[in-house]
Amino acid sequence: MASKNKFVARKEREEKQAALIRNISIGIVVVVLLLIGYGYLDQTVLQKQKAVATVNEEKITISEFQARVRLDRDNQINQYLQYAQFAQFGMDVEGQLQSIEANLGQPLQIGQSVLDTMINELIYKVEAEKLGITVSGEEIEKELQGFLDYFPDGTPSPAPSATSVVFETSTLSPEQLKLVTVTPTATEAPTSTPAPATATPAEEDAAPAEEAVPTVVPPPTLTATPYTLEGYQQAYKDTLPFYEEFGLVEESFRFLFESRLYYVKLYEEITADMPHESEYIWARHILVEDPTLAALVRERLLAGEDFGTVAAEASTDPSAAFNAGDLGWFTEGMMVEPFSDAAFALELGEISEVVQSDFGYHIIQLLGRENRPLDADAYQRSRDIAFQEWLTEVRGEYTIDTFDDLWVESVPSDPDLQETLAEIYGAQPAQ
């Protein structure tokens, strides 16, 4: 009997040990599975929710950022394909093709631009709300309808093209007549260099306002939507999967149109009181490549030598041979900054110190100064500059943190231009 009890006791111990080993094994398997699951979850979900930037603690996640970068790359590829078609018809678009190709080859540059845009979008919404500006669901829907070529109220008429303002020839003062012997002919406003030349102070590129908002290009496979509500609704459903491939969920897709509306309304509000006239100056210059030579040229002018003669002889600006270095009338923002700042600071007839710009070394003389009306292009440029100045100032009021280690590592390099070309043409099309 005692031996039987010992046998039972041993069997119970062995069963307990087996159960313990089994439970431990199951526990280990569960832990391993949990670790694997967490790792997968971390890579596919949790990591994607980390912030690449925050604006007053409102975050821009990796997944949102990556989706927008892919959308931007796709838009540029679509532009490239359009230019490639133009090239096949004999149009010279080599420069545009090379520019897009070079930009697509710099994913960090695209990432930085996209991140700046996304930061601006969050600021636009907050600033708009401060000014009582709102965007309704109906307005967003109308934007989407226009995006998909559905116009229930009829196709909008194109805006009338702006006509240029032609200035009458200015009446020169006796002091000006001493400086120049030929009255400048009437020119369309605004005027930069009278003739294009690679060495002259080129028009400065004010940051275009459109760069501050996203551009959305419809999927190339979509055709124009029939003018029915049902057709639009079906086109909308067909469009969403295209953007979901980039990682844009429907809410993010609609936000593209919401943020653009905020931007447009803000732009109109901020630039509503911009004046329609501006101070223009008339100047001429001599451009040389060496600062020592520039100093010698300036000494010759100060000694009384004729400006036109010296310009034709010494200036590297090709137009100086026939226009004596005359740049015509221009307003602020039309010339590169160092040149513009120096020219606007001059008194009538005064010859500037040597001014360095990206083009070389300039000696400038002021020939005239007056207020003139802005034509459509110049007025738009002044509004763009004013809005960018406002945006730069207001951004300083926000706590903006960008996490370079995250966004730099997260910048996608797809869609890829060469892969797209291979899919469409089998090889890159001849340019």
Side-chain angles (χ1 to χ4, degrees), residues 288-309:
V288 296
E289 297 177 350
D290 179 76
T292 302
L293 179 58
L296 293 174
V297 167
R298 183 172 184 271
E299 288 180 6
R300 292 175 62 184
L301 296 174
L302 293 177
E305 290 194 46
D306 179 69
F307 195 102
T309 302

Side-chain angles (χ1 to χ4, degrees), residues 148 222 225 228-240:
L148 293 174
L222 288 180
T225 308
T228 65
L229 178 60
E230 294 76 14
Y232 158 69
Q233 291 171 339
Q234 185 60 49
Y236 179 78
K237 292 178 182 178
D238 294 341
T239 298
L240 291 178

Side-chain angles (χ1 to χ4, degrees), residues 269-312:
E269 177 73 20
I270 299 301
T271 65
D273 297 326
M274 290 298 298
H276 286 264
E277 66 174 23
S278 178
E279 182 182 47
Y280 278 75
I281 62 172
W282 174 28
R284 58 186 176 183
H285 81 138
I286 298 172
L287 176 66
V288 296
E289 297 177 350
D290 179 76
T292 302
L293 179 58
L296 293 174
V297 167
R298 183 172 184 271
E299 288 180 6
R300 292 175 62 184
L301 296 174
L302 293 177
E305 290 194 46
D306 179 69
F307 195 102
T309 302
V310 178

